[in-house]
Amino acid sequence: MNYDNSMRIYFKSDSRNEAFARISVAAFIMQTDPTLSDISDIKTSVSEAVTNAIIHGYENGEGIVELFCGYENDVIYIEIIDKGKGIENIEKAMMPLYTTKIDEERSGMGFTVMETFMDTVKVESKKGCGTKIIMTKKINATSLK
Ligand SMILES: Nc1ncnc2c1ncn2[C@@H]1O[C@H](COP(=O)(O)OP(=O)(O)O)[C@@H](O)[C@H]1O
Ligand SMILES: [Mg+2]
Protein backbone atom coordinates (compact mmCIF):
# COMPACT_ATOMS: atom_id res chain seq x y z
CA MET A 1 0.00 0.00 0.00
CA ASN A 2 1.29 3.43 -0.93
CA TYR A 3 0.15 5.58 1.98
CA ASP A 4 0.30 9.37 1.78
CA ASN A 5 1.33 9.24 5.43
CA SER A 6 1.33 6.65 8.17
CA MET A 7 2.28 6.10 11.80
CA ARG A 8 2.86 3.11 14.03
CA ILE A 9 2.90 3.05 17.82
CA TYR A 10 3.45 0.34 20.41
CA PHE A 11 2.16 0.56 23.93
CA LYS A 12 1.79 -1.60 26.99
CA SER A 13 -1.39 -3.55 27.47
CA ASP A 14 -2.76 -1.20 30.12
CA SER A 15 -6.36 0.01 30.15
CA ARG A 16 -5.15 3.62 30.45
CA ASN A 17 -3.75 3.27 26.93
CA GLU A 18 -7.21 2.84 25.42
CA ALA A 19 -7.65 6.63 25.68
CA PHE A 20 -4.07 7.22 24.54
CA ALA A 21 -4.68 5.09 21.42
CA ARG A 22 -7.90 6.75 20.33
CA ILE A 23 -6.57 10.25 20.94
CA SER A 24 -3.37 9.44 19.00
CA VAL A 25 -5.35 8.23 16.01
CA ALA A 26 -7.66 11.25 16.18
CA ALA A 27 -4.65 13.60 16.26
CA PHE A 28 -3.00 11.85 13.33
CA ILE A 29 -6.05 11.79 11.06
CA MET A 30 -6.60 15.54 11.52
CA GLN A 31 -4.23 15.83 8.55
CA THR A 32 -7.00 14.44 6.32
CA ASP A 33 -9.49 17.15 7.32
CA PRO A 34 -12.11 14.70 8.64
CA THR A 35 -15.64 15.59 9.75
CA LEU A 36 -16.48 15.44 13.45
CA SER A 37 -18.59 12.42 12.72
CA ASP A 38 -15.67 10.62 10.98
CA ILE A 39 -13.41 11.36 13.95
CA SER A 40 -15.98 10.10 16.40
CA ASP A 41 -16.62 6.87 14.43
CA ILE A 42 -12.91 6.11 14.12
CA LYS A 43 -12.16 6.87 17.78
CA THR A 44 -14.97 4.59 18.92
CA SER A 45 -13.79 1.74 16.69
CA VAL A 46 -10.15 2.07 17.80
CA SER A 47 -11.31 2.12 21.39
CA GLU A 48 -13.26 -1.13 20.97
CA ALA A 49 -10.39 -2.93 19.22
CA VAL A 50 -7.74 -1.77 21.69
CA THR A 51 -9.95 -2.69 24.65
CA ASN A 52 -10.37 -6.16 23.16
CA ALA A 53 -6.61 -6.57 22.73
CA ILE A 54 -6.08 -5.65 26.39
CA ILE A 55 -8.90 -7.53 28.08
CA HIS A 56 -9.35 -10.53 25.77
CA GLY A 57 -6.01 -10.84 23.96
CA TYR A 58 -3.82 -10.34 27.01
CA GLU A 59 -6.56 -10.97 29.61
CA ASN A 60 -5.43 -7.83 31.46
CA GLY A 61 -1.92 -9.22 31.80
CA GLU A 62 1.43 -8.30 30.28
CA GLY A 63 1.70 -7.57 26.59
CA ILE A 64 2.36 -5.05 23.86
CA VAL A 65 -0.35 -3.66 21.60
CA GLU A 66 0.63 -2.38 18.16
CA LEU A 67 -1.38 0.27 16.37
CA PHE A 68 -0.88 1.30 12.76
CA CYS A 69 -2.71 4.14 11.04
CA GLY A 70 -2.23 5.26 7.48
CA TYR A 71 -4.21 7.05 4.82
CA GLU A 72 -4.27 7.26 1.07
CA ASN A 73 -6.38 10.13 -0.25
CA ASP A 74 -9.54 9.94 1.82
CA VAL A 75 -9.33 6.33 2.96
CA ILE A 76 -8.10 5.66 6.49
CA TYR A 77 -6.49 2.28 7.31
CA ILE A 78 -6.10 1.10 10.88
CA GLU A 79 -4.54 -2.06 12.26
CA ILE A 80 -4.60 -3.13 15.89
CA ILE A 81 -2.42 -6.10 16.70
CA ASP A 82 -1.86 -8.17 19.82
CA LYS A 83 0.25 -11.25 20.40
CA GLY A 84 -2.19 -12.60 22.95
CA LYS A 85 -4.34 -15.67 23.16
CA GLY A 86 -6.07 -15.37 19.79
CA ILE A 87 -9.66 -16.11 18.75
CA GLU A 88 -10.76 -19.69 18.24
CA ASN A 89 -13.87 -19.01 16.15
CA ILE A 90 -13.75 -15.60 14.45
CA GLU A 91 -17.18 -15.88 12.85
CA LYS A 92 -18.77 -16.61 16.22
CA ALA A 93 -16.76 -13.89 18.01
CA MET A 94 -18.06 -11.30 15.56
CA MET A 95 -21.72 -12.12 16.11
CA PRO A 96 -23.72 -9.42 17.91
CA LEU A 97 -24.02 -10.04 21.67
CA TYR A 98 -21.42 -12.83 21.63
CA THR A 99 -18.94 -12.50 24.47
CA THR A 100 -16.67 -14.90 26.33
CA LYS A 101 -16.68 -12.67 29.41
CA ILE A 102 -20.35 -12.71 30.42
CA ASP A 103 -19.55 -12.20 34.07
CA GLU A 104 -17.61 -9.00 33.49
CA GLU A 105 -20.20 -6.60 32.06
CA ARG A 106 -19.05 -7.09 28.48
CA SER A 107 -21.82 -6.34 26.01
CA GLY A 108 -20.58 -8.53 23.18
CA MET A 109 -21.12 -5.60 20.82
CA GLY A 110 -17.52 -4.52 20.16
CA PHE A 111 -17.20 -6.03 16.69
CA THR A 112 -20.72 -4.92 15.79
CA VAL A 113 -19.80 -1.36 16.77
CA MET A 114 -16.63 -1.52 14.63
CA GLU A 115 -18.60 -2.87 11.66
CA THR A 116 -21.22 -0.16 12.06
CA PHE A 117 -18.78 2.75 12.19
CA MET A 118 -16.13 1.58 9.72
CA ASP A 119 -16.54 0.55 6.05
CA THR A 120 -14.61 -2.71 6.38
CA VAL A 121 -13.47 -4.76 9.37
CA LYS A 122 -11.24 -7.78 8.87
CA VAL A 123 -10.08 -10.09 11.63
CA GLU A 124 -7.03 -12.35 11.39
CA SER A 125 -6.35 -14.49 14.41
CA LYS A 126 -4.63 -17.67 15.44
CA LYS A 127 -5.21 -19.36 18.76
CA GLY A 128 -2.18 -18.90 20.99
CA CYS A 129 -0.52 -16.45 18.57
CA GLY A 130 -2.62 -13.29 18.58
CA THR A 131 -5.07 -11.16 16.67
CA LYS A 132 -4.94 -8.49 14.02
CA ILE A 133 -7.90 -6.21 13.30
CA ILE A 134 -7.78 -4.34 9.99
CA MET A 135 -10.32 -1.57 9.53
CA THR A 136 -10.84 0.96 6.77
CA LYS A 137 -13.05 3.98 6.37
CA LYS A 138 -13.51 6.42 3.55
CA ILE A 139 -13.89 9.79 5.19
CA ASN A 140 -15.82 12.82 4.02
CA ALA A 141 -17.94 10.33 2.13
CA THR A 142 -21.24 12.15 1.81
CA SER A 143 -21.71 14.60 4.63
CA LEU A 144 -21.09 18.31 4.32
CA LYS A 145 -18.62 19.73 6.77
N1 LIG B 1 -8.01 -9.31 20.57
C1 LIG B 1 -8.73 -10.37 20.96
N2 LIG B 1 -8.10 -11.49 21.43
C2 LIG B 1 -8.82 -12.57 21.83
N3 LIG B 1 -10.17 -12.65 21.78
C3 LIG B 1 -10.84 -11.58 21.32
C4 LIG B 1 -10.16 -10.39 20.88
N4 LIG B 1 -11.10 -9.51 20.46
C5 LIG B 1 -12.30 -10.10 20.63
N5 LIG B 1 -12.16 -11.36 21.14
C6 LIG B 1 -13.24 -12.33 21.42
O1 LIG B 1 -14.40 -11.91 20.72
C7 LIG B 1 -15.50 -11.75 21.63
C8 LIG B 1 -16.41 -10.63 21.14
O2 LIG B 1 -15.76 -9.35 21.21
P1 LIG B 1 -16.67 -8.05 21.32
O3 LIG B 1 -17.66 -8.06 20.19
O4 LIG B 1 -15.77 -6.87 21.40
O5 LIG B 1 -17.46 -8.25 22.67
P2 LIG B 1 -16.97 -8.12 24.19
O6 LIG B 1 -15.62 -7.44 24.19
O7 LIG B 1 -18.02 -7.32 24.87
O8 LIG B 1 -16.87 -9.54 24.71
C9 LIG B 1 -14.84 -11.50 22.98
O9 LIG B 1 -15.69 -11.85 24.05
C10 LIG B 1 -13.62 -12.40 22.90
O10 LIG B 1 -13.93 -13.74 23.17
MG1 LIG C 1 -15.11 -5.81 23.11
Side-chain angles (χ1 to χ4, degrees):
M1 186 63 67
N2 197 12
Y3 298 108
D4 299 332
N5 196 4
S6 67
M7 65 88 153
R8 193 179 296 275
I9 52 179
Y10 297 84
F11 49 87
K12 277 185 88 164
S13 178
D14 180 312
S15 61
R16 291 173 295 188
N17 288 333
E18 175 268 312
F20 168 70
R22 77 178 133 79
I23 293 163
S24 301
V25 169
F28 181 72
I29 64 168
M30 288 315 287
Q31 298 170 5
T32 66
D33 199 18
T35 61
L36 286 176
S37 147
D38 289 331
I39 300 167
S40 166
D41 291 355
I42 291 168
K43 280 168 80 180
T44 304
S45 304
V46 167
S47 168
E48 291 292 339
V50 168
T51 302
N52 280 354
I54 296 169
I55 65 165
H56 300 301
Y58 293 120
E59 298 188 293
N60 286 309
E62 289 270 304
I64 298 290
V65 180
E66 178 179 346
L67 184 155
F68 169 84
C69 181
Y71 60 84
E72 193 187 6
N73 298 319
D74 48 4
V75 180
I76 311 277
Y77 297 80
I78 293 169
E79 292 182 9
I80 287 136
I81 302 155
D82 69 70
K83 302 260 186 288
K85 71 171 193 182
I87 302 174
E88 203 161 337
N89 185 333
I90 297 173
E91 206 185 321
K92 204 166 157 190
M94 292 181 81
M95 278 164 53
L97 301 175
Y98 178 85
T99 179
T100 48
K101 294 218 190 301
I102 8 169
D103 47 332
E104 291 171 43
E105 295 172 31
R106 310 306 314 161
S107 66
M109 292 300 283
F111 281 124
T112 307
V113 166
M114 292 178 235
E115 287 184 308
T116 303
F117 290 134
M118 301 296 283
D119 294 336
T120 66
V121 178
K122 210 173 116 203
V123 181
E124 294 173 4
S125 190
K126 202 166 163 224
K127 201 168 176 249
C129 293
T131 302
K132 183 196 260 193
I133 310 296
I134 305 144
M135 309 188 275
T136 72
K137 186 178 180 71
K138 184 171 158 62
I139 57 160
N140 302 325
T142 47
S143 55
L144 291 170
K145 266 186 263 178

